[in-house]
PDB file of all heavy atoms in Angstrom:
ATOM      1  N   GLY A   1      19.192 -15.200  22.115  1.00  0.00           N
ATOM      2  CA  GLY A   1      18.511 -15.730  23.322  1.00  0.00           C
ATOM      3  C   GLY A   1      16.956 -15.623  23.247  1.00  0.00           C
ATOM      4  O   GLY A   1      16.281 -16.510  23.803  1.00  0.00           O
ATOM      5  N   LEU A   2      16.422 -14.651  22.537  1.00  0.00           N
ATOM      6  CA  LEU A   2      14.929 -14.600  22.392  1.00  0.00           C
ATOM      7  C   LEU A   2      14.452 -15.657  21.434  1.00  0.00           C
ATOM      8  O   LEU A   2      13.417 -16.264  21.681  1.00  0.00           O
ATOM      9  CB  LEU A   2      14.588 -13.190  21.802  1.00  0.00           C
ATOM     10  CG  LEU A   2      14.690 -12.045  22.786  1.00  0.00           C
ATOM     11  CD1 LEU A   2      14.333 -10.731  22.097  1.00  0.00           C
ATOM     12  CD2 LEU A   2      13.691 -12.244  23.960  1.00  0.00           C
ATOM     13  N   LEU A   3      15.167 -15.871  20.278  1.00  0.00           N
ATOM     14  CA  LEU A   3      14.727 -16.797  19.251  1.00  0.00           C
ATOM     15  C   LEU A   3      15.080 -18.234  19.517  1.00  0.00           C
ATOM     16  O   LEU A   3      14.500 -19.178  18.966  1.00  0.00           O
ATOM     17  CB  LEU A   3      15.228 -16.331  17.918  1.00  0.00           C
ATOM     18  CG  LEU A   3      14.725 -15.003  17.419  1.00  0.00           C
ATOM     19  CD1 LEU A   3      15.446 -14.613  16.141  1.00  0.00           C
ATOM     20  CD2 LEU A   3      13.231 -14.995  17.253  1.00  0.00           C
ATOM     21  N   ASN A   4      16.052 -18.443  20.375  1.00  0.00           N
ATOM     22  CA  ASN A   4      16.587 -19.811  20.677  1.00  0.00           C
ATOM     23  C   ASN A   4      16.861 -19.862  22.190  1.00  0.00           C
ATOM     24  O   ASN A   4      18.011 -19.830  22.556  1.00  0.00           O
ATOM     25  CB  ASN A   4      17.820 -20.112  19.862  1.00  0.00           C
ATOM     26  CG  ASN A   4      18.301 -21.597  20.084  1.00  0.00           C
ATOM     27  OD1 ASN A   4      17.609 -22.359  20.524  1.00  0.00           O
ATOM     28  ND2 ASN A   4      19.565 -21.727  19.705  1.00  0.00           N
ATOM     29  N   PRO A   5      15.818 -20.030  23.008  1.00  0.00           N
ATOM     30  CA  PRO A   5      16.040 -20.030  24.445  1.00  0.00           C
ATOM     31  C   PRO A   5      17.014 -21.135  24.906  1.00  0.00           C
ATOM     32  O   PRO A   5      17.040 -22.211  24.378  1.00  0.00           O
ATOM     33  CB  PRO A   5      14.595 -20.298  25.006  1.00  0.00           C
ATOM     34  CG  PRO A   5      13.697 -20.011  23.939  1.00  0.00           C
ATOM     35  CD  PRO A   5      14.465 -20.262  22.671  1.00  0.00           C
ATOM     36  N   ASN A   6      17.780 -20.800  25.968  1.00  0.00           N
ATOM     37  CA  ASN A   6      18.840 -21.687  26.423  1.00  0.00           C
ATOM     38  C   ASN A   6      18.371 -22.784  27.315  1.00  0.00           C
ATOM     39  O   ASN A   6      19.016 -23.720  27.563  1.00  0.00           O
ATOM     40  CB  ASN A   6      19.919 -20.885  27.187  1.00  0.00           C
ATOM     41  CG  ASN A   6      20.733 -20.081  26.208  1.00  0.00           C
ATOM     42  OD1 ASN A   6      20.790 -20.354  25.045  1.00  0.00           O
ATOM     43  ND2 ASN A   6      21.342 -19.018  26.673  1.00  0.00           N
ATOM     44  N   THR A   7      17.164 -22.613  27.933  1.00  0.00           N
ATOM     45  CA  THR A   7      16.654 -23.576  28.889  1.00  0.00           C
ATOM     46  C   THR A   7      16.421 -24.879  28.225  1.00  0.00           C
ATOM     47  O   THR A   7      16.037 -24.998  27.056  1.00  0.00           O
ATOM     48  CB  THR A   7      15.368 -23.102  29.635  1.00  0.00           C
ATOM     49  OG1 THR A   7      14.416 -22.792  28.606  1.00  0.00           O
ATOM     50  CG2 THR A   7      15.637 -21.841  30.407  1.00  0.00           C
ATOM     51  N   LYS A   8      16.592 -25.933  29.015  1.00  0.00           N
ATOM     52  CA  LYS A   8      16.593 -27.331  28.459  1.00  0.00           C
ATOM     53  C   LYS A   8      15.257 -27.723  27.819  1.00  0.00           C
ATOM     54  O   LYS A   8      15.228 -28.342  26.775  1.00  0.00           O
ATOM     55  CB  LYS A   8      16.938 -28.229  29.568  1.00  0.00           C
ATOM     56  CG  LYS A   8      17.173 -29.703  29.211  1.00  0.00           C
ATOM     57  CD  LYS A   8      17.618 -30.494  30.358  1.00  0.00           C
ATOM     58  CE  LYS A   8      17.814 -31.935  30.000  1.00  0.00           C
ATOM     59  NZ  LYS A   8      18.228 -32.692  31.191  1.00  0.00           N
ATOM     60  N   ASP A   9      14.126 -27.391  28.461  1.00  0.00           N
ATOM     61  CA  ASP A   9      12.833 -27.859  27.988  1.00  0.00           C
ATOM     62  C   ASP A   9      12.071 -26.894  27.093  1.00  0.00           C
ATOM     63  O   ASP A   9      10.954 -27.203  26.688  1.00  0.00           O
ATOM     64  CB  ASP A   9      11.930 -28.251  29.171  1.00  0.00           C
ATOM     65  CG  ASP A   9      12.578 -29.394  30.019  1.00  0.00           C
ATOM     66  OD1 ASP A   9      13.188 -30.231  29.376  1.00  0.00           O
ATOM     67  OD2 ASP A   9      12.400 -29.421  31.204  1.00  0.00           O
ATOM     68  N   SER A  10      12.605 -25.697  26.845  1.00  0.00           N
ATOM     69  CA  SER A  10      11.881 -24.679  26.124  1.00  0.00           C
ATOM     70  C   SER A  10      12.028 -24.917  24.612  1.00  0.00           C
ATOM     71  O   SER A  10      13.019 -25.414  24.169  1.00  0.00           O
ATOM     72  CB  SER A  10      12.331 -23.309  26.478  1.00  0.00           C
ATOM     73  OG  SER A  10      13.624 -23.069  26.138  1.00  0.00           O
ATOM     74  N   VAL A  11      11.034 -24.582  23.847  1.00  0.00           N
ATOM     75  CA  VAL A  11      11.036 -24.592  22.380  1.00  0.00           C
ATOM     76  C   VAL A  11      11.139 -23.203  21.854  1.00  0.00           C
ATOM     77  O   VAL A  11      10.785 -22.227  22.515  1.00  0.00           O
ATOM     78  CB  VAL A  11       9.818 -25.368  21.823  1.00  0.00           C
ATOM     79  CG1 VAL A  11       9.795 -26.749  22.300  1.00  0.00           C
ATOM     80  CG2 VAL A  11       8.524 -24.608  22.256  1.00  0.00           C
ATOM     81  N   PRO A  12      11.596 -23.070  20.608  1.00  0.00           N
ATOM     82  CA  PRO A  12      11.653 -21.705  19.987  1.00  0.00           C
ATOM     83  C   PRO A  12      10.244 -21.123  19.996  1.00  0.00           C
ATOM     84  O   PRO A  12       9.286 -21.801  19.739  1.00  0.00           O
ATOM     85  CB  PRO A  12      12.192 -21.925  18.613  1.00  0.00           C
ATOM     86  CG  PRO A  12      12.942 -23.189  18.669  1.00  0.00           C
ATOM     87  CD  PRO A  12      12.207 -24.010  19.739  1.00  0.00           C
ATOM     88  N   PRO A  13      10.119 -19.805  20.213  1.00  0.00           N
ATOM     89  CA  PRO A  13       8.823 -19.160  20.233  1.00  0.00           C
ATOM     90  C   PRO A  13       8.244 -19.000  18.816  1.00  0.00           C
ATOM     91  O   PRO A  13       8.986 -19.062  17.824  1.00  0.00           O
ATOM     92  CB  PRO A  13       9.094 -17.807  20.828  1.00  0.00           C
ATOM     93  CG  PRO A  13      10.484 -17.535  20.466  1.00  0.00           C
ATOM     94  CD  PRO A  13      11.219 -18.851  20.506  1.00  0.00           C
ATOM     95  N   ASN A  14       6.943 -18.913  18.772  1.00  0.00           N
ATOM     96  CA  ASN A  14       6.268 -18.587  17.470  1.00  0.00           C
ATOM     97  C   ASN A  14       6.420 -17.147  17.201  1.00  0.00           C
ATOM     98  O   ASN A  14       6.211 -16.351  18.071  1.00  0.00           O
ATOM     99  CB  ASN A  14       4.819 -19.010  17.487  1.00  0.00           C
ATOM    100  CG  ASN A  14       4.597 -20.513  17.459  1.00  0.00           C
ATOM    101  OD1 ASN A  14       5.446 -21.220  16.938  1.00  0.00           O
ATOM    102  ND2 ASN A  14       3.552 -20.956  18.060  1.00  0.00           N
ATOM    103  N   VAL A  15       6.872 -16.774  16.006  1.00  0.00           N
ATOM    104  CA  VAL A  15       7.156 -15.413  15.661  1.00  0.00           C
ATOM    105  C   VAL A  15       6.254 -14.962  14.464  1.00  0.00           C
ATOM    106  O   VAL A  15       5.718 -15.815  13.755  1.00  0.00           O
ATOM    107  CB  VAL A  15       8.618 -15.169  15.362  1.00  0.00           C
ATOM    108  CG1 VAL A  15       9.505 -15.490  16.555  1.00  0.00           C
ATOM    109  CG2 VAL A  15       9.075 -15.975  14.152  1.00  0.00           C
ATOM    110  N   THR A  16       6.187 -13.698  14.260  1.00  0.00           N
ATOM    111  CA  THR A  16       5.592 -13.163  13.015  1.00  0.00           C
ATOM    112  C   THR A  16       6.706 -12.766  12.087  1.00  0.00           C
ATOM    113  O   THR A  16       7.627 -12.056  12.548  1.00  0.00           O
ATOM    114  CB  THR A  16       4.712 -11.918  13.360  1.00  0.00           C
ATOM    115  OG1 THR A  16       3.639 -12.323  14.260  1.00  0.00           O
ATOM    116  CG2 THR A  16       4.063 -11.377  12.094  1.00  0.00           C
ATOM    117  N   LEU A  17       6.656 -13.186  10.915  1.00  0.00           N
ATOM    118  CA  LEU A  17       7.673 -12.903   9.875  1.00  0.00           C
ATOM    119  C   LEU A  17       7.077 -12.045   8.779  1.00  0.00           C
ATOM    120  O   LEU A  17       6.060 -12.409   8.223  1.00  0.00           O
ATOM    121  CB  LEU A  17       8.161 -14.233   9.313  1.00  0.00           C
ATOM    122  CG  LEU A  17       9.133 -14.167   8.141  1.00  0.00           C
ATOM    123  CD1 LEU A  17      10.463 -13.621   8.613  1.00  0.00           C
ATOM    124  CD2 LEU A  17       9.338 -15.539   7.485  1.00  0.00           C
ATOM    125  N   ILE A  18       7.670 -10.950   8.518  1.00  0.00           N
ATOM    126  CA  ILE A  18       7.250 -10.011   7.441  1.00  0.00           C
ATOM    127  C   ILE A  18       8.431  -9.820   6.498  1.00  0.00           C
ATOM    128  O   ILE A  18       9.494  -9.384   6.999  1.00  0.00           O
ATOM    129  CB  ILE A  18       6.767  -8.653   8.019  1.00  0.00           C
ATOM    130  CG1 ILE A  18       5.687  -8.904   9.012  1.00  0.00           C
ATOM    131  CG2 ILE A  18       6.283  -7.672   6.889  1.00  0.00           C
ATOM    132  CD1 ILE A  18       5.235  -7.627   9.817  1.00  0.00           C
ATOM    133  N   TYR A  19       8.255 -10.093   5.255  1.00  0.00           N
ATOM    134  CA  TYR A  19       9.298  -9.811   4.313  1.00  0.00           C
ATOM    135  C   TYR A  19       8.785  -9.094   3.088  1.00  0.00           C
ATOM    136  O   TYR A  19       7.592  -9.336   2.620  1.00  0.00           O
ATOM    137  CB  TYR A  19      10.137 -11.063   3.939  1.00  0.00           C
ATOM    138  CG  TYR A  19       9.409 -12.128   3.215  1.00  0.00           C
ATOM    139  CD1 TYR A  19       9.333 -12.156   1.834  1.00  0.00           C
ATOM    140  CD2 TYR A  19       8.820 -13.172   3.852  1.00  0.00           C
ATOM    141  CE1 TYR A  19       8.710 -13.131   1.126  1.00  0.00           C
ATOM    142  CE2 TYR A  19       8.182 -14.171   3.205  1.00  0.00           C
ATOM    143  CZ  TYR A  19       8.101 -14.170   1.837  1.00  0.00           C
ATOM    144  OH  TYR A  19       7.418 -15.148   1.193  1.00  0.00           O
ATOM    145  N   THR A  20       9.534  -8.206   2.568  1.00  0.00           N
ATOM    146  CA  THR A  20       9.204  -7.402   1.417  1.00  0.00           C
ATOM    147  C   THR A  20      10.206  -7.565   0.281  1.00  0.00           C
ATOM    148  O   THR A  20      11.378  -7.282   0.561  1.00  0.00           O
ATOM    149  CB  THR A  20       9.077  -5.856   1.816  1.00  0.00           C
ATOM    150  OG1 THR A  20       8.130  -5.711   2.845  1.00  0.00           O
ATOM    151  CG2 THR A  20       8.575  -5.046   0.615  1.00  0.00           C
ATOM    152  N   LEU A  21       9.810  -8.026  -0.874  1.00  0.00           N
ATOM    153  CA  LEU A  21      10.671  -8.237  -1.998  1.00  0.00           C
ATOM    154  C   LEU A  21      10.608  -6.926  -2.822  1.00  0.00           C
ATOM    155  O   LEU A  21       9.589  -6.404  -3.086  1.00  0.00           O
ATOM    156  CB  LEU A  21      10.163  -9.368  -2.858  1.00  0.00           C
ATOM    157  CG  LEU A  21      10.321 -10.754  -2.238  1.00  0.00           C
ATOM    158  CD1 LEU A  21       9.634 -11.762  -3.113  1.00  0.00           C
ATOM    159  CD2 LEU A  21      11.767 -11.113  -2.129  1.00  0.00           C
ATOM    160  N   SER A  22      11.782  -6.414  -3.145  1.00  0.00           N
ATOM    161  CA  SER A  22      11.907  -5.225  -4.009  1.00  0.00           C
ATOM    162  C   SER A  22      12.178  -5.668  -5.401  1.00  0.00           C
ATOM    163  O   SER A  22      13.110  -6.437  -5.678  1.00  0.00           O
ATOM    164  CB  SER A  22      13.036  -4.306  -3.526  1.00  0.00           C
ATOM    165  OG  SER A  22      12.816  -3.867  -2.220  1.00  0.00           O
ATOM    166  N   CYS A  23      11.292  -5.268  -6.310  1.00  0.00           N
ATOM    167  CA  CYS A  23      11.357  -5.756  -7.698  1.00  0.00           C
ATOM    168  C   CYS A  23      11.260  -4.653  -8.701  1.00  0.00           C
ATOM    169  O   CYS A  23      10.853  -3.579  -8.404  1.00  0.00           O
ATOM    170  CB  CYS A  23      10.151  -6.716  -7.960  1.00  0.00           C
ATOM    171  SG  CYS A  23       9.887  -7.964  -6.725  1.00  0.00           S
ATOM    172  N   ARG A  24      11.648  -4.980  -9.916  1.00  0.00           N
ATOM    173  CA  ARG A  24      11.484  -4.092 -11.043  1.00  0.00           C
ATOM    174  C   ARG A  24      11.155  -4.918 -12.226  1.00  0.00           C
ATOM    175  O   ARG A  24      11.563  -6.021 -12.441  1.00  0.00           O
ATOM    176  CB  ARG A  24      12.602  -3.103 -11.296  1.00  0.00           C
ATOM    177  CG  ARG A  24      13.972  -3.736 -11.621  1.00  0.00           C
ATOM    178  CD  ARG A  24      14.980  -2.672 -11.970  1.00  0.00           C
ATOM    179  NE  ARG A  24      15.473  -1.891 -10.857  1.00  0.00           N
ATOM    180  CZ  ARG A  24      16.582  -2.185 -10.231  1.00  0.00           C
ATOM    181  NH1 ARG A  24      17.353  -3.190 -10.568  1.00  0.00           N
ATOM    182  NH2 ARG A  24      16.974  -1.458  -9.195  1.00  0.00           N
ATOM    183  N   SER A  25      10.244  -4.312 -13.137  1.00  0.00           N
ATOM    184  CA  SER A  25       9.866  -4.984 -14.327  1.00  0.00           C
ATOM    185  C   SER A  25       9.665  -3.944 -15.415  1.00  0.00           C
ATOM    186  O   SER A  25       9.844  -2.781 -15.199  1.00  0.00           O
ATOM    187  CB  SER A  25       8.580  -5.814 -14.121  1.00  0.00           C
ATOM    188  OG  SER A  25       7.493  -4.902 -13.963  1.00  0.00           O
ATOM    189  N   PHE A  26       9.124  -4.387 -16.529  1.00  0.00           N
ATOM    190  CA  PHE A  26       8.783  -3.486 -17.607  1.00  0.00           C
ATOM    191  C   PHE A  26       7.806  -2.399 -17.119  1.00  0.00           C
ATOM    192  O   PHE A  26       7.826  -1.294 -17.634  1.00  0.00           O
ATOM    193  CB  PHE A  26       8.203  -4.265 -18.808  1.00  0.00           C
ATOM    194  CG  PHE A  26       7.689  -3.511 -19.884  1.00  0.00           C
ATOM    195  CD1 PHE A  26       8.473  -2.943 -20.858  1.00  0.00           C
ATOM    196  CD2 PHE A  26       6.284  -3.280 -19.965  1.00  0.00           C
ATOM    197  CE1 PHE A  26       7.923  -2.144 -21.884  1.00  0.00           C
ATOM    198  CE2 PHE A  26       5.733  -2.520 -21.033  1.00  0.00           C
ATOM    199  CZ  PHE A  26       6.585  -1.966 -21.957  1.00  0.00           C
ATOM    200  N   TYR A  27       6.988  -2.796 -16.134  1.00  0.00           N
ATOM    201  CA  TYR A  27       5.944  -1.818 -15.700  1.00  0.00           C
ATOM    202  C   TYR A  27       6.403  -0.945 -14.655  1.00  0.00           C
ATOM    203  O   TYR A  27       5.708  -0.023 -14.130  1.00  0.00           O
ATOM    204  CB  TYR A  27       4.750  -2.696 -15.171  1.00  0.00           C
ATOM    205  CG  TYR A  27       4.241  -3.688 -16.158  1.00  0.00           C
ATOM    206  CD1 TYR A  27       4.468  -5.001 -16.062  1.00  0.00           C
ATOM    207  CD2 TYR A  27       3.500  -3.235 -17.230  1.00  0.00           C
ATOM    208  CE1 TYR A  27       4.030  -5.914 -16.952  1.00  0.00           C
ATOM    209  CE2 TYR A  27       3.051  -4.097 -18.221  1.00  0.00           C
ATOM    210  CZ  TYR A  27       3.324  -5.446 -18.073  1.00  0.00           C
ATOM    211  OH  TYR A  27       2.900  -6.319 -19.012  1.00  0.00           O
ATOM    212  N   GLY A  28       7.657  -1.020 -14.224  1.00  0.00           N
ATOM    213  CA  GLY A  28       8.231  -0.124 -13.242  1.00  0.00           C
ATOM    214  C   GLY A  28       8.590  -0.848 -11.947  1.00  0.00           C
ATOM    215  O   GLY A  28       8.325  -2.077 -11.780  1.00  0.00           O
ATOM    216  N   PRO A  29       9.210  -0.127 -11.007  1.00  0.00           N
ATOM    217  CA  PRO A  29       9.535  -0.754  -9.691  1.00  0.00           C
ATOM    218  C   PRO A  29       8.315  -0.960  -8.834  1.00  0.00           C
ATOM    219  O   PRO A  29       7.358  -0.156  -8.893  1.00  0.00           O
ATOM    220  CB  PRO A  29      10.477   0.202  -9.054  1.00  0.00           C
ATOM    221  CG  PRO A  29      10.246   1.535  -9.705  1.00  0.00           C
ATOM    222  CD  PRO A  29       9.665   1.271 -11.068  1.00  0.00           C
ATOM    223  N   PHE A  30       8.334  -2.003  -8.043  1.00  0.00           N
ATOM    224  CA  PHE A  30       7.266  -2.256  -7.060  1.00  0.00           C
ATOM    225  C   PHE A  30       7.782  -3.173  -5.936  1.00  0.00           C
ATOM    226  O   PHE A  30       8.895  -3.735  -6.062  1.00  0.00           O
ATOM    227  CB  PHE A  30       6.059  -2.883  -7.703  1.00  0.00           C
ATOM    228  CG  PHE A  30       6.264  -4.254  -8.317  1.00  0.00           C
ATOM    229  CD1 PHE A  30       5.964  -5.366  -7.544  1.00  0.00           C
ATOM    230  CD2 PHE A  30       6.769  -4.416  -9.649  1.00  0.00           C
ATOM    231  CE1 PHE A  30       6.162  -6.594  -8.069  1.00  0.00           C
ATOM    232  CE2 PHE A  30       6.995  -5.623 -10.102  1.00  0.00           C
ATOM    233  CZ  PHE A  30       6.652  -6.763  -9.348  1.00  0.00           C
ATOM    234  N   GLU A  31       7.036  -3.230  -4.915  1.00  0.00           N
ATOM    235  CA  GLU A  31       7.386  -4.108  -3.756  1.00  0.00           C
ATOM    236  C   GLU A  31       6.236  -5.042  -3.431  1.00  0.00           C
ATOM    237  O   GLU A  31       5.093  -4.645  -3.568  1.00  0.00           O
ATOM    238  CB  GLU A  31       7.737  -3.237  -2.502  1.00  0.00           C
ATOM    239  CG  GLU A  31       8.994  -2.423  -2.640  1.00  0.00           C
ATOM    240  CD  GLU A  31       9.368  -1.715  -1.430  1.00  0.00           C
ATOM    241  OE1 GLU A  31       8.499  -1.364  -0.678  1.00  0.00           O
ATOM    242  OE2 GLU A  31      10.635  -1.438  -1.263  1.00  0.00           O
ATOM    243  N   LYS A  32       6.528  -6.148  -3.031  1.00  0.00           N
ATOM    244  CA  LYS A  32       5.501  -7.202  -2.595  1.00  0.00           C
ATOM    245  C   LYS A  32       5.832  -7.616  -1.166  1.00  0.00           C
ATOM    246  O   LYS A  32       6.928  -8.104  -0.869  1.00  0.00           O
ATOM    247  CB  LYS A  32       5.572  -8.461  -3.505  1.00  0.00           C
ATOM    248  CG  LYS A  32       4.674  -9.569  -3.104  1.00  0.00           C
ATOM    249  CD  LYS A  32       3.216  -9.238  -3.152  1.00  0.00           C
ATOM    250  CE  LYS A  32       2.389 -10.437  -2.788  1.00  0.00           C
ATOM    251  NZ  LYS A  32       0.990 -10.072  -2.659  1.00  0.00           N
TER     252      LYS A  32
END
């Protein structure tokens, strides 16, 4: 309901998106 409002004329709200990738390499584990 927050991300996809039911009302006829409303559009989805602008949101902030934060994502963190968990990785590992020869140099060790890290996150981006």
Side-chain angles (χ1 to χ4, degrees):
L2 287 175
L3 297 174
N4 183 18
N6 290 337
T7 56
K8 187 176 181 181
D9 297 328
S10 65
V11 295
N14 289 331
V15 298
T16 299
L17 174 67
I18 302 170
Y19 63 90
T20 302
L21 291 169
S22 301
C23 309
R24 61 173 74 96
S25 72
F26 173 78
Y27 305 107
F30 65 94
E31 293 184 331
K32 173 65 177 170

